[in-house]
Amino acid sequence: MSDMSVSKYPATAQDWLQGARPHTWANAFAPVLAGTGAAAAADSAHLGRAFLALVVAWSLIIGVNYANDYSDGVRGTDDDRSGPQRLTGGGLAKPAHVKMAAFGCFAVAAVFGIALSLAANAAWFILIGALCIAGAWFYTGGSKPYGYRGFGEIAVFIFFGLVAVLGTEFTQAGRITLTGLALAVGIGAMSAGVNLANNIRDIPSDSATGKITLAVRLGDKNSRNLFTGLLLIPVLLTVAIAFDSWLALIALAYFPLALPAVRTVNRGAQGRDLIPVLGMTGRAMLVWSILSTIALAVVH
């Protein structure tokens, strides 16, 4: 690599780490924990398969973050944003390298996903994994990205909620339970909340560049109300899960962590002031999944 190319694309290891967006990793960890908790409730938890599922989910979330960085960057929708500087849009890394990083992560997810499917004697599950990878890329990639049409939160709810939690449970227990479904809906709601908070922050820049996210469609006020509703859903689900395991009520401890995020959003925070909300929501989701899993594992 020449000195000129180095000076033109000065991304450091720290820049690449930030490009992977660690504050979103809870979206990968929480559903695997919750799915394992559901499997434990069915007396079928399998730590080896849980590890495989974790690698798949983690690779996918990093891959989709790099894919979004690349696609938004080459489209110019990151040219005027209030969030952290992006690798592509900020000129820190060569677009082709960011794209390569995304597909490298997808490849890791594919390898471990195939291993998980075969270990669980569910080869058909490989197709589900392929759909997840396609969903990760076409969120902002391709000629008609669905993330630009207001379907981002729905996709997050499905892939990082329903599919991730229930898929984790199924590959360990061989079946799906109502407890697993409740956990999947709760994780999906909070995961979608992380995405929504990010899009509320970017309403001005997304509107200007034609990126019609759900937040742009709903408008600022309605989006903030929806965010509140998404973070309250786990309260009701915790009570429902408690009928299967009374100890699950300890998972309500997630709410004090979610409350600052709700307050920040409802007080009308804008731009960079909304960035901490992503981490707050992610931590609340992670705590809810951990405590729910502990409760289900202990009682059963």
Side-chain angles (χ1 to χ4, degrees), residues 21 81 86 193-203 278:
R21 302 176 73 183
R81 68 192 304 272
R86 294 289 191 95
V194 173
N195 201 67
L196 182 60
N198 186 70
N199 287 333
I200 290 173
R201 182 195 69 200
D202 292 336
I203 285 177
L278 307 183

Side-chain angles (χ1 to χ4, degrees), residues 38-51:
D43 296 318
S44 302
H46 191 293
L47 294 183
R49 294 174 193 173
F51 172 75

Side-chain angles (χ1 to χ4, degrees), residues 224 262-269:
R224 293 172 190 271
V262 172
R263 285 177 173 171
T264 300
V265 169
N266 282 296
R267 286 172 179 170

Side-chain angles (χ1 to χ4, degrees), residues 47-133:
L47 294 183
R49 294 174 193 173
F51 172 75
L52 292 175
L54 180 62
V55 175
V56 172
W58 197 4
S59 299
L60 279 175
I61 196 70
I62 295 176
V64 76
N65 286 335
Y66 282 141
N68 291 346
D69 188 303
Y70 166 78
S71 297
D72 285 343
V74 296
R75 281 192 171 88
T77 51
D78 275 346
D79 291 346
D80 182 23
R81 68 192 304 272
S82 56
Q85 189 174 28
R86 294 289 191 95
L87 292 166
T88 306
L92 296 176
K94 189 174 182 179
H97 292 169
V98 180
K99 183 178 182 180
M100 189 182 303
F103 277 93
C105 291
F106 293 154
V108 171
V111 170
F112 279 82
I114 291 172
L116 176 61
S117 299
L118 296 179
N121 294 316
W124 59 269
F125 210 73
I126 294 174
L127 177 59
I128 302 297
L131 291 174
C132 289
I133 292 174

Side-chain angles (χ1 to χ4, degrees), residues 35-295:
T36 301
D43 296 318
S44 302
H46 191 293
L47 294 183
R49 294 174 193 173
F51 172 75
L52 292 175
L54 180 62
V55 175
V56 172
W58 197 4
S59 299
L60 279 175
I61 196 70
I62 295 176
V64 76
N65 286 335
Y66 282 141
N68 291 346
D69 188 303
Y70 166 78
S71 297
D72 285 343
V74 296
R75 281 192 171 88
T77 51
D78 275 346
D79 291 346
D80 182 23
R81 68 192 304 272
S82 56
Q85 189 174 28
R86 294 289 191 95
L87 292 166
T88 306
L92 296 176
K94 189 174 182 179
H97 292 169
V98 180
K99 183 178 182 180
M100 189 182 303
F103 277 93
C105 291
F106 293 154
V108 171
V111 170
F112 279 82
I114 291 172
L116 176 61
S117 299
L118 296 179
N121 294 316
W124 59 269
F125 210 73
I126 294 174
L127 177 59
I128 302 297
L131 291 174
C132 289
I133 292 174
W137 173 250
F138 289 108
Y139 174 53
T140 55
S143 60
K144 296 181 179 180
Y146 64 84
Y148 282 46
R149 298 181 173 218
F151 298 111
E153 283 71 19
I154 295 174
V156 168
F157 178 82
I158 292 173
F159 290 120
F160 286 100
L162 301 183
V163 173
V165 176
L166 298 179
T168 298
E169 181 186 20
F170 184 85
T171 54
Q172 294 180 46
R175 61 193 177 96
I176 290 173
T177 63
L178 288 176
T179 296
L181 181 60
L183 289 167
V185 171
I187 293 295
M190 285 193 281
S191 194
V194 173
N195 201 67
L196 182 60
N198 186 70
N199 287 333
I200 290 173
R201 182 195 69 200
D202 292 336
I203 285 177
S205 59
D206 286 345
S207 298
T209 56
K211 183 177 181 179
I212 311 303
T213 63
L214 180 62
V216 172
R217 286 188 182 279
L218 294 178
D220 188 85
K221 181 178 179 181
N222 289 334
S223 296
R224 293 172 190 271
N225 290 337
L226 176 59
F227 176 83
T228 300
L230 290 173
L231 264 64
L232 289 175
I233 286 176
V235 172
L236 300 177
L237 293 173
T238 299
V239 175
I241 295 171
F243 283 99
D244 184 42
S245 171
W246 62 267
L247 191 58
L249 291 174
I250 65 172
L252 291 174
Y254 93 93
F255 191 67
L257 297 176
L259 189 57
V262 172
R263 285 177 173 171
T264 300
V265 169
N266 282 296
R267 286 172 179 170
Q270 302 283 343
R272 290 186 174 276
D273 291 337
L274 281 168
I275 294 177
V277 171
L278 307 183
M280 294 176 193
T281 306
R283 286 189 291 273
M285 175 170 54
L286 198 56
V287 167
W288 190 68
S289 65
I290 290 173
L291 294 179
S292 296
T293 297
I294 290 174

